[in-house]
Amino acid sequence: MLSKKTKYAFHALTYLGKHRDQGAILIQEISEKYGISHKFLENILLELKKAGFLGSKKGKGGGYYLIKAPTEIPLSKVIRLLDGPIALLPCVSLNYYEPCEECESQERCGLNKVMIKVRDETLKILEMRTLQDILEGE
Amino acid sequence: MLSKKTKYAFHALTYLGKHRDQGAILIQEISEKYGISHKFLENILLELKKAGFLGSKKGKGGGYYLIKAPTEIPLSKVIRLLDGPIALLPCVSLNYYEPCEECESQERCGLNKVMIKVRDETLKILEMRTLQDILEGE
DNA sequence: CAATAAGTCTATATATTTTGTAGGTTTTAT
DNA sequence: ATAAAACCTACAAAATATATAGACTTATTG
């Protein structure tokens, strides 16, 4: 399951995507719309900004806005940013790899092999779908 | 990511699958092999038994053994048993459904629609692969 | 039939992660 | 100058995952 953080990130991105023509959007506007704590959402938006999805403007009249096209924001990137690995085991993670302590040999581990396949097929799905797909469903 | 519980469950199932012809296997044998706490593994094996994957025998000479063919144990069932939902959001879970509090209408939620598609494609993968696939990779 | 070996069960303790909060700092428009 | 808004760091609370304890039941064997 996705964490709330990631779910909220998707909500925020969706909202900003829908209102791309309206300039900077207040954190508060989004937090009220979805009933998310202002402060919690603040952290999330900041992460999305640092990752290059959002821009922001400080001071009066400030707020956040999308700086990437919705087609350029795959679900996989958002999930990895806020939740971490997509793979089901650390030993098959591309971005957060860690060997299993209990494993003598990764090469001779059937679980490892299956999970690599699961990872590859899952990634295909999550890399192919983007914020654009979410927006089209609203 | 899978919990350790689920990973350990896969290890145990794999071990029992490899030693199907050797009758009942001790918890201790498996826990030593993979460096899993005896008591922790105990709980896991009990759950697998209650779910109908394993049988057991008490007393001296007792232990656990597979009572299903490895082809009849899809990864999806093991994951659901020990980790819960496979879906990325509660509002698209088939087995653990819960509506989102922040959502006015699930029908008009783009996130919901995308996640249903992701769920369906993920499930295809996890339902199709079984313990047999793990065993073949060892 | 006593001793021992093993699984069963329920409850609790510990560790880790997730979720949420506090409060000050910086920037910008008016 | 003031107020509005994002930025930043640290911490607190809650939830979940991991691990442990100890008594109970069942089966084997000498």
Side-chain angles (χ1 to χ4, degrees):
Chain A
M1 295 275 271
L2 298 179
S3 66
K4 288 196 176 181
K5 221 167 158 179
T6 303
K7 183 169 73 160
Y8 293 162
F10 279 123
H11 281 321
L13 288 167
T14 303
Y15 192 86
L16 293 173
K18 275 167 107 171
H19 300 85
R20 279 188 92 179
D21 51 346
Q22 293 172 29
I25 305 284
L26 293 180
I27 294 178
Q28 183 151 357
E29 190 174 332
I30 303 171
S31 79
E32 280 175 2
K33 166 81 178 177
Y34 294 102
I36 306 168
S37 137
H38 180 109
K39 279 291 191 179
F40 195 38
L41 184 58
E42 200 178 284
N43 294 329
I44 296 166
L45 292 175
L46 213 45
E47 283 198 74
L48 289 169
K49 183 195 168 185
K50 286 179 181 163
F53 298 118
L54 304 182
S56 68
K57 212 187 144 196
K58 282 184 173 184
K60 195 165 183 183
Y64 281 95
Y65 45 89
L66 266 191
I67 57 173
K68 281 204 176 184
T71 51
E72 299 305 310
I73 303 183
L75 306 188
S76 58
K77 295 222 170 160
V78 178
I79 293 174
R80 281 210 183 100
L81 178 66
L82 295 150
D83 258 7
I86 286 170
L88 292 182
L89 293 177
C91 68
V92 301
S93 171
L94 295 171
N95 292 262
Y96 302 84
Y97 173 82
E98 270 183 62
C100 291
E101 287 176 14
E102 74 274 18
C103 236
E104 296 164 9
S105 154
Q106 196 163 295
E107 285 65 41
R108 270 171 262 136
C109 178
L111 186 56
N112 181 271
K113 289 192 189 123
V114 169
M115 290 305 172
I116 285 176
K117 288 190 187 156
V118 172
R119 178 203 67 196
D120 287 342
E121 296 178 60
T122 305
L123 269 185
K124 269 189 217 159
I125 301 166
L126 294 175
E127 281 174 348
M128 163 175 101
R129 302 194 183 282
T130 68
L131 178 57
Q132 181 66 29
D133 293 298
I134 299 180
L135 289 169
E136 282 169 6
E138 295 266 305
Chain B
M1 296 275 270
L2 298 180
S3 65
K4 288 195 177 182
K5 220 167 157 179
T6 302
K7 183 170 72 159
Y8 293 162
F10 280 123
H11 281 321
L13 287 167
T14 303
Y15 192 87
L16 292 173
K18 276 167 109 170
H19 299 86
R20 279 187 94 180
D21 50 347
Q22 293 172 29
I25 305 284
L26 292 181
I27 294 177
Q28 183 150 357
E29 189 173 335
I30 303 172
S31 77
E32 279 174 3
K33 165 81 178 178
Y34 295 101
I36 307 168
S37 135
H38 180 110
K39 278 292 191 180
F40 195 39
L41 184 59
E42 200 177 284
N43 294 327
I44 295 166
L45 292 174
L46 212 45
E47 282 197 73
L48 289 168
K49 184 195 168 182
K50 285 178 182 164
F53 299 118
L54 303 183
S56 68
K57 210 187 145 197
K58 284 185 173 181
K60 195 165 185 182
Y64 283 94
Y65 45 89
L66 267 189
I67 57 173
K68 281 204 175 183
T71 52
E72 299 305 311
I73 303 183
L75 306 189
S76 59
K77 295 223 168 157
V78 178
I79 294 174
R80 280 210 183 101
L81 177 67
L82 295 150
D83 258 8
I86 286 170
L88 293 181
L89 293 177
C91 68
V92 301
S93 171
L94 295 171
N95 293 263
Y96 301 85
Y97 173 81
E98 270 183 62
C100 291
E101 288 175 12
E102 73 274 18
C103 237
E104 297 165 8
S105 155
Q106 195 163 297
E107 284 67 40
R108 271 171 261 134
C109 178
L111 185 56
N112 181 272
K113 287 190 188 125
V114 168
M115 290 303 171
I116 284 176
K117 287 189 188 158
V118 172
R119 177 203 68 197
D120 287 342
E121 296 178 59
T122 306
L123 269 185
K124 269 188 215 159
I125 301 166
L126 294 175
E127 281 174 349
M128 161 175 102
R129 300 191 185 284
T130 69
L131 178 57
Q132 181 66 28
D133 293 298
I134 299 179
L135 289 169
E136 282 169 6
E138 295 266 304

